[in-house]
Amino acid sequence: MAILKSCSIDSEIALIGDDLLSEIIVRLPFKSVARSACVSKDWRAAVSDDYLRRRLPLLMTTVYFPDDDAVAAGGGGGGGPRFACAASDGNDGHRLEDCDLGFLPERGGVVVCDGCNGLLLCRSPGTPEFFVVDPVTRRWAALPAPAKAATLSVLAFDPSTSPDYRVVNFTGWRDRGAAVEVFSSATWAWTARDTEFGGVPASSLSGSMHYHDGILYILASEPDCLVSLNLADFSSTAAVIDLPEPVDGGDAHVAHSGGRLHYIFRDGELLKVWELDDDDQWRPKHAVKVEHLAHGGDEVRFLAMHPEEEDVVYTWSPWKVVEHDLRRKTTTCHCQAWEFGEGERNRVVKAWLVPSSCYLSDCLAHCPVKC
């Protein structure tokens, strides 16, 4: 997309009119639209209009490990994790395209610590400095240094409820709790807190976490439960939700879809999905044979649920991300897949279907940008 000079863009917008402008913008490559927001204040207002943002599609974004080393290491890979999103132009709409982080000012490069709903949490090696990065718009924010070193850092961002994000640093562990520092983009400051895990041993917590509407959900085993931390109120003990099936012995995840919490568990040949109802009871929704989800190979790994359509899930199979409608219990004729370039072999470990409005919001609008 050619970027108009800022001296003439305002007059162009006025001449076109809002309705026609919206029709033009929704047909343009999305990444070009997102990055063009730095042209002028009037142009940013035009592409950030609520009506326009609601018409833009959901965007597939992923964190992945490149090279065959990723497979041998079960998700490692010497090159470290990278970020990719769906190409949005022409016939390449189902292709995953790497987003280079070379625009960041750190000459020595950065390490991707975590990702959440299209944003990345990166760290400069050997320093306490964190960056929150939007690889699509190439915006980034250098956070103030935390007071203590972290043993685990988590990015919490939910564009469906707020443009603000948080970074949670776990700085010390106790038997059934932890010391944490939480950074909030709303206050632009770190706050030290102590949190209790509702009687659940800290050693029982897993690395499987999910953030939604201010709550960080952490899967735990022995006991098998879900620990939910309210990031806005660490004065209260974490709530604990029992699980319908044990975490051990399978591949377990939690996700939100249609405004409800879901538990997803693969145990051998079945992928099972439960929904938490209004009475805080788990209701079984799906039990699908994994062989029906295979797409060009035997390996299937759950990645995500569609944020709005409760029966649609996303899995990784070599070497692609595949969409499934579990109501059909098959992918042979009713699926779409996102692949990397021909011959590229990548293992996707996280995926989100992010509202395009996330990239046109103000969550990183005040930060440096390279267009």
Side-chain angles (χ1 to χ4, degrees), residues 5-339:
K5 293 182 178 179
S6 58
C7 60
S8 61
I9 190 68
D10 299 344
S11 58
E12 295 286 343
I13 293 174
L15 287 173
I16 293 176
D18 292 342
D19 291 339
L20 181 56
L21 182 64
S22 295
E23 291 299 324
I24 294 172
I25 291 176
V26 296
R27 288 168 171 76
L28 295 173
F30 173 71
K31 286 199 290 187
S32 296
V33 175
R35 292 176 182 175
S36 71
C38 63
V39 170
S40 74
K41 290 182 178 179
D42 281 354
W43 181 250
R44 165 169 283 280
V47 300
S48 301
D49 179 75
D50 285 341
Y51 170 71
L52 170 63
R53 290 194 291 177
R54 286 194 296 270
R55 297 188 59 195
L56 290 170
L58 296 170
L59 189 68
M60 172 60 68
T61 62
T62 66
V63 172
Y64 72 95
F65 286 89
D67 303 328
D68 293 341
D69 292 340
V71 179
R82 297 184 60 85
F83 181 89
C85 70
S88 56
D89 43 326
N91 296 324
D92 292 329
H94 290 165
R95 178 172 57 84
L96 288 168
E97 184 177 75
D98 180 78
C99 293
D100 181 34
L101 301 181
F103 59 89
L104 291 171
E106 294 299 300
R107 294 183 179 180
V110 295
V111 176
V112 178
C113 301
D114 196 17
C116 189
N117 285 317
L119 296 185
L120 298 180
L121 178 65
C122 301
R123 187 167 188 170
S124 179
T127 75
E129 188 171 24
F130 287 98
F131 298 87
V132 173
V133 183
D134 181 342
V136 174
T137 63
R138 301 169 72 87
R139 292 184 180 272
W140 54 272
L143 308 187
K148 296 181 179 180
T151 58
L152 175 66
S153 298
V154 179
L155 178 63
F157 175 57
D158 181 7
S160 68
T161 59
S162 172
D164 298 319
Y165 57 85
R166 293 182 173 94
V167 176
V168 184
N169 275 355
F170 291 86
T171 59
W173 301 94
R174 299 190 299 275
D175 286 345
R176 300 178 186 275
V180 299
E181 278 189 276
V182 180
F183 175 84
S184 170
S185 64
T187 62
W188 208 251
W190 293 91
T191 304
R193 302 287 191 195
D194 288 323
T195 185
E196 299 295 330
F197 298 145
V200 177
S203 59
S204 296
L205 302 186
S206 75
S208 181
M209 302 185 186
H210 166 66
Y211 177 75
H212 178 76
D213 196 18
I215 306 296
L216 181 65
Y217 298 91
I218 309 174
L219 280 171
S221 59
E222 297 182 2
D224 293 292
C225 63
L226 191 60
V227 177
S228 56
L229 300 179
N230 187 334
L231 299 188
D233 182 17
F234 277 98
S235 62
S236 59
T237 300
V240 176
I241 304 171
D242 292 332
L243 294 176
E245 194 150 324
V247 172
D248 282 345
D251 184 24
H253 302 267
V254 288
H256 270 82
S257 181
R260 290 189 178 276
L261 185 65
H262 290 73
Y263 178 60
I264 305 96
F265 183 76
R266 177 186 172 179
D267 182 8
E269 299 180 349
L270 291 177
L271 181 73
K272 305 174 184 179
V273 180
W274 290 265
E275 179 183 85
L276 193 67
D277 63 22
D278 293 334
D279 297 321
D280 289 335
Q281 300 295 315
W282 291 106
R283 180 172 63 87
K285 288 191 66 178
H286 299 287
V288 181
K289 288 186 176 181
V290 174
E291 65 184 46
H292 293 162
L293 305 179
H295 196 268
D298 295 331
E299 187 173 1
V300 177
R301 176 180 292 182
F302 173 85
L303 290 174
M305 294 191 71
H306 193 288
E308 298 164 0
E309 300 177 21
E310 299 181 23
D311 298 301
V312 176
V313 302
Y314 299 85
T315 64
W316 177 87
S317 291
W319 306 98
K320 59 182 74 73
V321 175
V322 186
E323 176 186 277
H324 313 268
D325 186 338
L326 296 184
R327 291 171 300 182
R328 301 178 185 272
K329 302 185 185 301
T330 182
T331 63
T332 53
C333 300
H334 307 286
C335 71
Q336 58 180 342
W338 290 262
E339 301 186 53

Side-chain angles (χ1 to χ4, degrees), residues 132 138-142 165 188 362-370:
V132 173
R138 301 169 72 87
R139 292 184 180 272
W140 54 272
Y165 57 85
W188 208 251
D362 295 328
C363 63
L364 291 174
H366 62 291
C367 301
V369 60
K370 182 180 178 70

